[in-house]
Short mmCIF file of all heavy atoms in Angstrom, two decimals:
data_model
loop_
_atom_site.label_atom_id
_atom_site.label_comp_id
_atom_site.label_asym_id
_atom_site.label_seq_id
_atom_site.Cartn_x
_atom_site.Cartn_y
_atom_site.Cartn_z
N ALA S 36 88.44 115.10 66.18
CA ALA S 36 87.26 114.75 65.38
C ALA S 36 86.99 115.85 64.35
O ALA S 36 86.68 115.58 63.18
CB ALA S 36 86.05 114.57 66.30
N TYR S 37 87.12 117.11 64.79
CA TYR S 37 86.86 118.24 63.88
C TYR S 37 87.81 118.18 62.67
O TYR S 37 87.38 118.27 61.52
CB TYR S 37 87.02 119.56 64.65
CG TYR S 37 86.94 120.76 63.75
CD1 TYR S 37 85.71 121.25 63.33
CD2 TYR S 37 88.09 121.40 63.29
CE1 TYR S 37 85.62 122.35 62.48
CE2 TYR S 37 88.02 122.49 62.44
CZ TYR S 37 86.79 122.97 62.04
OH TYR S 37 86.72 124.04 61.18
N TYR S 38 89.12 118.01 62.94
CA TYR S 38 90.08 118.04 61.83
C TYR S 38 90.00 116.77 60.98
O TYR S 38 90.28 116.82 59.77
CB TYR S 38 91.51 118.28 62.34
CG TYR S 38 91.71 119.69 62.87
CD1 TYR S 38 91.99 119.92 64.21
CD2 TYR S 38 91.59 120.80 62.04
CE1 TYR S 38 92.16 121.21 64.71
CE2 TYR S 38 91.74 122.09 62.52
CZ TYR S 38 92.02 122.29 63.86
OH TYR S 38 92.18 123.58 64.35
N LEU S 39 89.61 115.64 61.59
CA LEU S 39 89.41 114.42 60.76
C LEU S 39 88.32 114.70 59.72
O LEU S 39 88.45 114.33 58.55
CB LEU S 39 88.97 113.25 61.64
CG LEU S 39 90.05 112.35 62.22
CD1 LEU S 39 89.46 111.40 63.27
CD2 LEU S 39 90.78 111.55 61.13
N ALA S 40 87.24 115.36 60.17
CA ALA S 40 86.13 115.63 59.26
C ALA S 40 86.50 116.74 58.27
O ALA S 40 86.27 116.63 57.07
CB ALA S 40 84.90 116.02 60.07
N ARG S 41 87.09 117.80 58.80
CA ARG S 41 87.32 118.99 57.97
C ARG S 41 88.49 118.82 57.01
O ARG S 41 88.42 119.21 55.85
CB ARG S 41 87.58 120.17 58.90
CG ARG S 41 88.06 121.40 58.24
CD ARG S 41 87.20 122.58 58.55
NE ARG S 41 87.90 123.78 58.10
CZ ARG S 41 87.50 124.52 57.10
NH1 ARG S 41 86.42 124.24 56.45
NH2 ARG S 41 88.18 125.58 56.74
N GLU S 42 89.58 118.21 57.49
CA GLU S 42 90.79 118.13 56.66
C GLU S 42 90.87 116.84 55.87
O GLU S 42 91.54 116.78 54.86
CB GLU S 42 92.05 118.22 57.56
CG GLU S 42 92.14 119.48 58.38
CD GLU S 42 92.70 120.66 57.57
OE1 GLU S 42 93.56 120.42 56.73
OE2 GLU S 42 92.21 121.79 57.80
N HIS S 43 90.24 115.78 56.37
CA HIS S 43 90.44 114.47 55.74
C HIS S 43 89.14 113.85 55.24
O HIS S 43 89.15 112.72 54.75
CB HIS S 43 91.14 113.53 56.73
CG HIS S 43 92.45 114.08 57.23
ND1 HIS S 43 93.60 114.06 56.49
CD2 HIS S 43 92.75 114.74 58.39
CE1 HIS S 43 94.58 114.66 57.17
NE2 HIS S 43 94.08 115.09 58.32
N GLY S 44 88.03 114.55 55.41
CA GLY S 44 86.75 114.07 54.86
C GLY S 44 86.22 112.81 55.54
O GLY S 44 85.32 112.15 55.01
N ILE S 45 86.74 112.48 56.72
CA ILE S 45 86.23 111.31 57.46
C ILE S 45 85.18 111.82 58.44
O ILE S 45 85.52 112.53 59.40
CB ILE S 45 87.38 110.59 58.21
CG1 ILE S 45 88.44 110.13 57.21
CG2 ILE S 45 86.84 109.40 59.03
CD1 ILE S 45 89.71 109.61 57.85
N THR S 46 83.92 111.51 58.20
CA THR S 46 82.86 112.10 59.04
C THR S 46 82.09 111.07 59.85
O THR S 46 81.30 111.43 60.71
CB THR S 46 81.86 112.89 58.16
OG1 THR S 46 81.36 112.01 57.17
CG2 THR S 46 82.53 114.08 57.51
N ASN S 47 82.30 109.77 59.53
CA ASN S 47 81.60 108.72 60.30
C ASN S 47 82.40 108.46 61.59
O ASN S 47 83.14 107.48 61.72
CB ASN S 47 81.48 107.47 59.44
CG ASN S 47 80.65 106.39 60.11
OD1 ASN S 47 79.82 106.68 60.98
ND2 ASN S 47 80.90 105.15 59.74
N ILE S 48 82.26 109.42 62.51
CA ILE S 48 83.10 109.44 63.73
C ILE S 48 82.21 109.59 64.95
O ILE S 48 81.21 110.32 64.90
CB ILE S 48 84.03 110.70 63.72
CG1 ILE S 48 84.89 110.72 62.45
CG2 ILE S 48 84.90 110.76 64.96
CD1 ILE S 48 85.69 112.02 62.30
N ALA S 49 82.60 108.92 66.05
CA ALA S 49 81.97 109.22 67.34
C ALA S 49 83.05 109.69 68.31
O ALA S 49 84.16 109.14 68.33
CB ALA S 49 81.29 107.98 67.91
N VAL S 50 82.72 110.73 69.08
CA VAL S 50 83.56 111.11 70.22
C VAL S 50 82.82 110.59 71.45
O VAL S 50 81.67 110.99 71.69
CB VAL S 50 83.72 112.64 70.32
CG1 VAL S 50 84.53 113.01 71.57
CG2 VAL S 50 84.39 113.19 69.07
N VAL S 51 83.44 109.68 72.20
CA VAL S 51 82.76 109.13 73.39
C VAL S 51 83.37 109.75 74.64
O VAL S 51 84.58 109.70 74.84
CB VAL S 51 82.79 107.59 73.44
CG1 VAL S 51 81.98 107.00 72.30
CG2 VAL S 51 84.18 107.04 73.41
N GLU S 52 82.52 110.35 75.44
CA GLU S 52 82.97 111.11 76.61
C GLU S 52 82.29 110.56 77.87
O GLU S 52 81.08 110.41 77.91
CB GLU S 52 82.65 112.60 76.40
CG GLU S 52 82.69 113.45 77.65
CD GLU S 52 84.00 113.38 78.44
OE1 GLU S 52 85.08 113.41 77.83
OE2 GLU S 52 83.92 113.28 79.69
N LYS S 53 83.12 110.30 78.88
CA LYS S 53 82.62 109.74 80.14
C LYS S 53 81.59 110.65 80.82
O LYS S 53 80.57 110.19 81.31
CB LYS S 53 83.84 109.56 81.06
CG LYS S 53 83.54 109.05 82.43
CD LYS S 53 84.81 108.68 83.15
CE LYS S 53 85.53 109.89 83.68
NZ LYS S 53 86.65 109.56 84.59
N GLY S 54 81.85 111.95 80.86
CA GLY S 54 80.97 112.88 81.56
C GLY S 54 80.29 113.82 80.58
O GLY S 54 79.72 113.41 79.58
N TRP S 55 80.42 115.14 80.85
CA TRP S 55 79.92 116.14 79.92
C TRP S 55 81.11 116.85 79.29
O TRP S 55 82.22 116.83 79.85
CB TRP S 55 79.00 117.12 80.64
CG TRP S 55 79.70 117.99 81.65
CD1 TRP S 55 80.20 119.23 81.43
CD2 TRP S 55 79.99 117.68 83.03
NE1 TRP S 55 80.78 119.72 82.58
CE2 TRP S 55 80.67 118.80 83.58
CE3 TRP S 55 79.76 116.57 83.86
CZ2 TRP S 55 81.10 118.83 84.90
CZ3 TRP S 55 80.20 116.62 85.17
CH2 TRP S 55 80.84 117.73 85.69
N LEU S 56 80.89 117.45 78.12
CA LEU S 56 81.99 118.12 77.42
C LEU S 56 82.53 119.26 78.28
O LEU S 56 81.76 120.08 78.78
CB LEU S 56 81.53 118.71 76.09
CG LEU S 56 81.10 117.72 75.01
CD1 LEU S 56 80.98 118.42 73.67
CD2 LEU S 56 82.04 116.54 74.91
N GLY S 57 83.84 119.29 78.42
CA GLY S 57 84.45 120.36 79.20
C GLY S 57 84.61 120.02 80.67
O GLY S 57 85.04 120.85 81.45
N SER S 58 84.25 118.78 81.06
CA SER S 58 84.36 118.41 82.47
C SER S 58 85.79 118.08 82.89
O SER S 58 86.09 118.03 84.06
CB SER S 58 83.45 117.22 82.78
OG SER S 58 83.76 116.13 81.94
N GLY S 59 86.65 117.87 81.92
CA GLY S 59 88.04 117.52 82.21
C GLY S 59 88.93 118.77 82.21
O GLY S 59 88.48 119.88 82.48
N ASN S 60 90.19 118.55 81.87
CA ASN S 60 91.17 119.63 81.96
C ASN S 60 90.89 120.79 81.03
O ASN S 60 91.30 121.92 81.30
CB ASN S 60 92.57 119.08 81.66
CG ASN S 60 93.04 118.13 82.74
OD1 ASN S 60 92.51 118.14 83.85
ND2 ASN S 60 94.00 117.29 82.41
N VAL S 61 90.20 120.52 79.90
CA VAL S 61 89.96 121.62 78.96
C VAL S 61 89.15 122.73 79.63
O VAL S 61 89.29 123.90 79.29
CB VAL S 61 89.29 121.13 77.66
CG1 VAL S 61 87.85 120.66 77.88
CG2 VAL S 61 89.33 122.21 76.59
N GLY S 62 88.32 122.37 80.62
CA GLY S 62 87.55 123.38 81.33
C GLY S 62 88.14 123.76 82.67
O GLY S 62 87.48 124.44 83.46
N ARG S 63 89.36 123.31 82.96
CA ARG S 63 89.93 123.53 84.30
C ARG S 63 91.26 124.26 84.27
O ARG S 63 91.87 124.48 85.32
CB ARG S 63 90.17 122.17 84.97
CG ARG S 63 88.90 121.43 85.29
CD ARG S 63 89.16 119.98 85.68
NE ARG S 63 87.89 119.36 85.98
CZ ARG S 63 87.36 119.30 87.19
NH1 ARG S 63 88.03 119.74 88.23
NH2 ARG S 63 86.18 118.76 87.38
N ASN S 64 91.75 124.61 83.09
CA ASN S 64 93.14 125.10 83.04
C ASN S 64 93.21 126.62 83.18
O ASN S 64 92.19 127.32 83.19
CB ASN S 64 93.82 124.62 81.76
CG ASN S 64 93.14 125.16 80.54
OD1 ASN S 64 93.31 126.31 80.20
ND2 ASN S 64 92.33 124.33 79.88
N THR S 65 94.45 127.12 83.27
CA THR S 65 94.66 128.56 83.44
C THR S 65 94.81 129.28 82.09
O THR S 65 95.23 130.43 82.06
CB THR S 65 95.87 128.82 84.35
OG1 THR S 65 96.93 127.95 83.98
CG2 THR S 65 95.54 128.60 85.81
N THR S 66 94.53 128.59 81.03
CA THR S 66 94.31 129.11 79.66
C THR S 66 95.51 129.78 78.99
O THR S 66 95.34 130.56 78.06
CB THR S 66 93.11 130.09 79.59
OG1 THR S 66 93.50 131.38 80.07
CG2 THR S 66 91.89 129.60 80.37
N ILE S 67 96.72 129.47 79.44
CA ILE S 67 97.89 130.13 78.83
C ILE S 67 98.23 129.44 77.51
O ILE S 67 98.32 128.21 77.44
CB ILE S 67 99.10 130.09 79.78
CG1 ILE S 67 98.74 130.79 81.10
CG2 ILE S 67 100.31 130.74 79.14
CD1 ILE S 67 99.75 130.56 82.22
N VAL S 68 98.42 130.26 76.49
CA VAL S 68 98.79 129.77 75.16
C VAL S 68 100.14 130.40 74.81
O VAL S 68 100.30 131.62 74.92
CB VAL S 68 97.72 130.19 74.13
CG1 VAL S 68 98.17 129.85 72.71
CG2 VAL S 68 96.38 129.54 74.44
#
Side-chain angles (χ1 to χ4, degrees):
Y37 173 80
Y38 290 115
L39 269 170
R41 170 125 168 111
E42 301 278 325
H43 303 282
I45 301 171
T46 56
N47 185 24
I48 303 173
V50 177
V51 294
E52 164 55 43
K53 177 170 78 170
W55 67 93
L56 294 193
S58 56
N60 293 341
V61 69
R63 293 168 179 267
N64 63 76
T65 43
T66 79
I67 301 168
V68 173

